């Protein structure tokens, strides 16, 4: 049972951790001081961003054509299993997974899943320019994106990429990340999971590396202030998933509470939430104990099976779909991507059946914003349970099921009064593997009196989530996106 | 390449983290204040411990008889694979493992390994009595121990234990741990690995739970101060492995440096090392980045194989042994354990071929003790690499190999001047699975001028290790034992 949080009269916070704001390392502390600065840096104002972005959108494009799963150049269906793989054995494989989860509403099922065991690099180069933290971002097209061009991190490379299986050109700026352990300046370097419903134990290395001086931004790259990127997070489908997950691994705090004269108590509470000196409803020991309890209590078992042995799924010429029309399809695409050079390739992709809802309920507790995290079990997680959003689902997948089967708090999120909706933006998931995987990301203030007692949920502050994000496998990719999105609310809009 | 540490002129520490001593949660902070108190508590003085211990040693005993692997009551060899398992499917299985580790000195091998997928509980109840932290320990016999009776934690239970597969009596005090997530008072609750060379991905839940008031110590149990347990860690083979690993998960710091009038600079540096306010050679971001680098760089692959398919191992009537006489044997034993009741059972056990050497090199850097941790790859680790001691090996296993194949720093440890050897005690590994698995645990001050540059080693403080011990899979069980042992040096002897 959860320690209940009285809805209208919050429990007192644990004693604020005096002096804890200073307990980060030097490097991170300096970020705390600079991240609140935003707007124009010496390398450009956000005002000319639309022109720069439009200019690249004209030159860079992808054309995506649906093709049969047996017509994908370079891809083969294993005759014994039906598994889809590249003839080189690299990139990724689509196979079947049998899941047993006795405690769940659906205690057993099978599904297709992507196996991509290589650990890639999602790397962001940052540098302080005039005391303001800047990051080197890329305008990148990916075939799955509805809005082709998005802001991506400096480097976004699978191991196949950088060992040149693609036989393309070298990955620009990659050397700064592969050599990072030899030098100071690593602000974050942690392996994090990706979609546990679609990937089997996929992990990417999320890295932020600081350079003493900015280096030249190549064609298609640009230095933006971190504040500018946060501002772009408020625009539909502009900042890609890889940027969001890397940014979530950086700790941020706003101005000291005593000098924070923002008239909006939500924004003040949000900034305090990032400050390790602020209190929290639960101690970190309680949170860690709860996670251990959830992880030892779940009897999840997964087993690889042949793609041909799925139950409840149909393989058609150009897709594998769920017989009930739920969840997602595996489709085949032929891609032409153009920019400075033109490349063509084919690949399978995953396309969800509907737009997902990914939301944090948020609540101010004694002036410190808390978000309601949910302990989620996803079959592809390396460690069975990770912390996710309050709500994470594709409502279409529940069509035809009894009313009570909808996830808890979905009704609260979708029925919230407009003033309670603090963030509401549609964003894409990773456009290299997922086709038109759009989710509606929301941050919603919980109504007074809402009972949030749930063994699978806990109220946490942003500084607690930041602490966990220094380590692998605690926070899932959807929650990491939401954490990045929360930063776009830091500044009076 | 490692950031080199000039041997005679250490690099300056990272800026001490001002105020960080106060950044622990309330509960843990209170331990910091009380752990330095030791000696007699209101529940007894260590002076009568030998009588109490001897009294229980008279009543409790185990008799262990070697028997054939096919004569183990309740155990069967799978006819298809030779794997040894209990007929109920519970407890554990001995199967084969094929390991490929291209970068290692031995790039591929096979070996027997224990599969015990259940997560057990190693739990310590603690309470403050007269302001001094006490722990409820048990005098427990286990068949593998050379010295039959040892101090064990309050609870030491496999899941088979507590779901009553043994059909024995209920595990005393277990309810305090299974319910811990419902109450405050959890000081530690984290899954940790055990011997990665002998267990395949085994994890136990290490828990410390504080009670507001001490409860009655049952027959065979006794409250000791944590300081007393630390003192017992200095005695040969007295505190068992499960106690050591649980104790290592508790943070401790000594008196404030300015009031520490200990004349011994090593002990002063040791106590400062546990204090989060003390500096460190590397920032935590650098340490975490190095761990991520090691973990993404290792191409370790393991594959379960039938026990009958081992290469280089021979199965005899009563054991499975390595043909070169190296490493360990799988043996069969019949056990009679007596105390208040008499129980008999049979089981396979692992018996190493020689006594191991497990050592930390230690160095004072600007008055803060650092230990040289090694990034170890063991085939049974859940996450490929964990931090281990500076040296961890069974020297007998290297017999016949060329001189240069001995592990780095073994010669330094074994050749140290007596004054440099700060801890040197033989301790047992877990006596429920391992037969006479004795290791010599050492803490040795590194000689001036020793070059410790190594890509697989880093100097770390105790407070950095304590931080990592709040999370799973960072610190291996041998290093955790050494961390517990270091606490026995906290007090002037």
């Amino acid at each position: 049972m959860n320690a209940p949080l009285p809805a209208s009269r919050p429990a007192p916070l644990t004693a604020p951790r005096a002096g804890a704001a200073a307990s980060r390392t030097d490097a991170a502390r300096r970020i705390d001081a600079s991240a609140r600065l935003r707007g124009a840096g010496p390398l450009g104002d956000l005002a000319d961003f639309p022109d720069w972005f439009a200019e690249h959108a004209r030159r860079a494009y992808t054309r995506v054509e649906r093709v049969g799963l047996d017509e994908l150049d370079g891809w083969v269906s294993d005759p014994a299993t039906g598994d889809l793989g590249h003839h080189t054995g690299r990139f990724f494989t689509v196979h079947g997974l049998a899941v047993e989860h006795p405690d769940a509403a659906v205690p057993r099922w099978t599904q297709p899943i992507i196996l991509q065991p290589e650990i890639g690099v999602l790397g962001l180069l940052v540098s302080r320019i005039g005391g303001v933290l800047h990051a080197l971002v890329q305008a990148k097209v990916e075939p799955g994106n509805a809005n082709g061009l998005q802001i991506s991190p400096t480097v976004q490379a699978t191991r196949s990429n950088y060992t040149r299986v693609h036989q393309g050109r070298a990955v620009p700026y990659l050397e700064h990340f592969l050599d990072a352990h030899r030098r100071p300046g690593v602000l974050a370097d942690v392996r994090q999971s990706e979609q546990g419903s679609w990937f089997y134990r996929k992990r990417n290395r999320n890295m932020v590396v600081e350079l003493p001086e900015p280096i030249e931004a190549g064609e298609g790259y640009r230095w933006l202030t971190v504040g500018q990127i946060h501002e772009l997070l408020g625009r539909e489908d502009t900042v890609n998933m890889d940027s969001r997950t890397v940014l979530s691994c950086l700790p941020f705090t706003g101005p000291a509470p005593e000098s924070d004269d923002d008239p909006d108590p939500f924004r003040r509470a949000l900034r305090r939430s990032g400050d390790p000196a602020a209190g929290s409803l639960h101690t970190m020991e309680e949170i860690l104990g709860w996670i251990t309890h959830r992880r030892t209590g779940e009897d999840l078992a997964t087993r690889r099976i042949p793609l041909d042995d799925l139950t409840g799924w149909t393989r058609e010429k150009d897709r594998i779909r769920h017989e009930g029309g739920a969840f997602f399809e595996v489709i085949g695409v032929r891609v032409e991507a153009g920019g400075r050079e033109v490349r063509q390739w084919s690949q399978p992709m995953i396309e969800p059946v509907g737009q997902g809802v990914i939301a944090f309920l948020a609540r101010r507790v004694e002036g410190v914003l808390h978000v309601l995290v949910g302990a989620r079990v996803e079959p592809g997680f390396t460690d069975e349970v990770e912390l996710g959003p309050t709500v994470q689902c594709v409502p279409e997948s529940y069509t035809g099921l009894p009313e009570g089967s909808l996830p808890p708090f979905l009704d609260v999120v979708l029925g919230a009064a407009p003033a309670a909706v603090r963030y509401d933006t549609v964003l894409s998931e990773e456009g290299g593997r997922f086709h038109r995987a759009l989710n509606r990301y929301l941050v919603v203030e919980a109504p007074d009196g809402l009972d949030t007692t749930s063994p699978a949920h806990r109220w946490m502050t942003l500084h607690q989530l930041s602490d966990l994000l220094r380590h692998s496998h605690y926070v899932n990719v959807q929650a990491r996106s939401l954490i990045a999105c929360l930063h776009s609310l830091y500044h009076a809009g």
Side-chain angles (χ1 to χ4, degrees), chain A:
Chain A
M1 225 184 74
N2 203 330
L5 173 74
S8 46
R9 196 161 37 102
L13 300 190
T14 61
R17 307 197 284 159
S23 75
R24 297 224 165 260
T25 60
D26 248 3
R29 199 157 58 232
R30 277 179 286 138
I31 297 171
D32 295 350
S34 63
R36 70 185 104 139
L37 300 171
R38 71 189 254 270
L43 296 181
D45 191 288
L46 202 51
D48 50 296
F49 174 82
D51 288 343
W52 176 81
F53 201 65
E55 162 75 14
H56 282 88
R58 267 192 301 279
R59 277 189 282 168
Y61 66 91
T62 56
R63 286 194 198 100
V64 176
E65 181 193 355
R66 291 284 296 269
V67 296
L69 291 171
D70 290 330
E71 297 164 4
L72 299 169
D73 291 343
W75 292 79
V76 289
S77 288
D78 184 290
T81 60
D83 294 356
L84 279 167
H86 196 257
H87 74 95
T88 58
R90 307 295 289 268
F91 306 117
F92 63 92
T93 309
V94 182
H95 64 72
L97 194 73
V99 184
E100 299 213 23
H101 187 205
D103 307 327
V106 180
R108 75 178 50 79
W109 72 89
T110 64
Q111 65 165 86
I113 201 157
I114 296 177
L115 178 69
Q116 184 175 339
E118 298 176 349
I119 298 180
V121 173
L122 307 180
L124 190 66
L125 283 180
V126 299
S127 192
R128 278 155 235 268
I129 306 173
V132 179
L133 196 68
H134 285 64
L136 184 62
V137 300
Q138 186 184 4
K140 192 175 169 70
V141 287
E142 288 177 306
N145 294 341
N147 173 7
L149 196 70
Q150 300 200 345
I151 290 297
S152 81
T154 322
V155 163
Q156 186 175 313
T158 62
R159 208 165 175 183
S160 297
N161 268 151
Y162 63 75
T163 55
R164 314 291 287 281
V165 177
H166 288 284
Q167 294 163 355
R169 56 198 171 107
V171 178
Y173 307 108
L174 181 65
E175 66 278 12
H176 296 283
F177 299 96
L178 297 186
D179 286 351
H181 62 285
R182 304 189 190 187
R183 291 188 311 273
V186 177
L187 305 186
D189 183 1
V190 59
R191 296 159 310 152
Q192 298 288 9
S193 71
E194 297 191 1
Q195 285 76 5
S197 298
W198 297 339
F199 279 122
Y200 191 68
R201 302 194 177 171
K202 182 179 178 196
R203 298 184 288 188
N204 268 325
R205 190 170 171 185
N206 286 241
M207 301 181 75
V208 182
V209 171
E210 182 173 5
L211 298 175
E213 299 292 334
I215 53 179
E216 199 189 342
E219 171 70 15
Y221 293 81
R222 183 191 167 108
W223 287 96
L224 294 175
T225 70
V226 170
Q228 286 171 331
I229 301 172
H230 289 161
E231 202 169 326
L232 292 173
L233 272 165
R235 302 190 186 180
E236 298 273 305
D237 216 9
T238 303
V239 177
N240 81 353
M241 183 192 92
D242 292 349
S243 301
R244 302 191 305 264
T245 172
V246 173
L247 285 170
S248 76
C249 296
L250 265 186
F252 293 97
T253 65
E258 60 275 14
S259 65
D260 191 348
D261 55 2
D262 194 317
D264 181 358
F266 178 88
R267 276 197 303 269
R268 286 202 310 272
L270 172 64
R271 284 187 290 258
R272 285 197 66 197
S273 187
D275 179 355
S280 52
L281 264 176
H282 301 286
T283 66
M284 203 58 174
E285 274 61 37
E286 286 165 4
I287 295 290
L288 291 169
W290 170 65
I291 295 170
T292 299
H293 172 71
R294 300 297 302 181
R295 284 182 162 167
T296 52
E298 296 288 355
D299 273 325
L300 179 77
T302 58
R303 187 167 45 87
R304 179 175 177 161
I305 59 172
L307 195 59
D308 282 345
D309 289 1
L310 297 178
T311 307
W313 296 76
T314 303
R315 183 162 181 163
E316 299 172 352
K317 184 178 177 316
D318 68 341
R319 59 180 180 165
I320 299 168
R321 65 175 182 83
H322 186 253
E323 286 166 7
F327 312 121
F328 61 87
E329 300 183 349
V330 179
I331 63 169
V333 296
R334 184 175 298 140
V335 183
E336 179 182 300
R340 279 202 313 184
E341 56 184 79
V342 175
R343 292 195 306 129
Q344 290 182 313
W345 73 92
S346 296
Q347 65 172 89
M349 298 191 91
I350 278 182
E351 181 171 276
V353 298
Q355 181 171 295
V357 174
I358 291 173
F360 268 144
L361 285 179
R363 174 172 276 164
R364 280 170 273 146
V365 185
E366 297 188 16
V368 179
L369 198 74
H370 286 61
V371 294
L372 189 62
V373 301
R376 284 186 61 82
V377 177
E378 297 180 16
F381 283 158
T382 299
D383 205 354
E384 300 192 353
V385 174
E386 292 192 13
L387 304 183
T390 318
V391 172
Q392 175 187 324
C393 70
V394 178
E396 277 86 341
S397 287
Y398 294 82
T399 308
L401 294 181
E403 187 130 339
S405 24
L406 282 171
F409 308 117
L410 177 63
D411 54 341
V412 181
V413 167
L414 297 182
V421 179
R422 286 297 186 147
Y423 184 90
D424 184 359
T425 303
V426 172
L427 301 170
S428 289
E429 303 308 305
E430 213 262 297
R433 296 288 173 271
F434 309 130
H435 192 247
R436 307 288 157 103
L438 291 163
N439 285 308
R440 183 176 169 201
Y441 283 84
L442 296 122
V443 177
V444 172
E445 288 192 273
D448 286 347
L450 177 70
D451 179 7
T452 58
T453 309
S454 152
H457 290 83
R458 282 290 184 282
W459 288 102
M460 289 178 65
T461 61
L462 286 189
H463 67 79
Q464 290 181 319
L465 287 163
S466 270
D467 253 14
L468 294 180
L469 280 165
R470 303 167 87 195
H471 308 283
S472 297
H473 311 149
Y474 276 120
V475 183
N476 81 351
V477 67
Q478 291 86 354
R480 297 201 304 278
S481 269
L482 275 174
I483 290 166
C485 295
L486 275 164
H487 290 301
S488 74
L489 308 177
Y490 255 50
H491 315 287

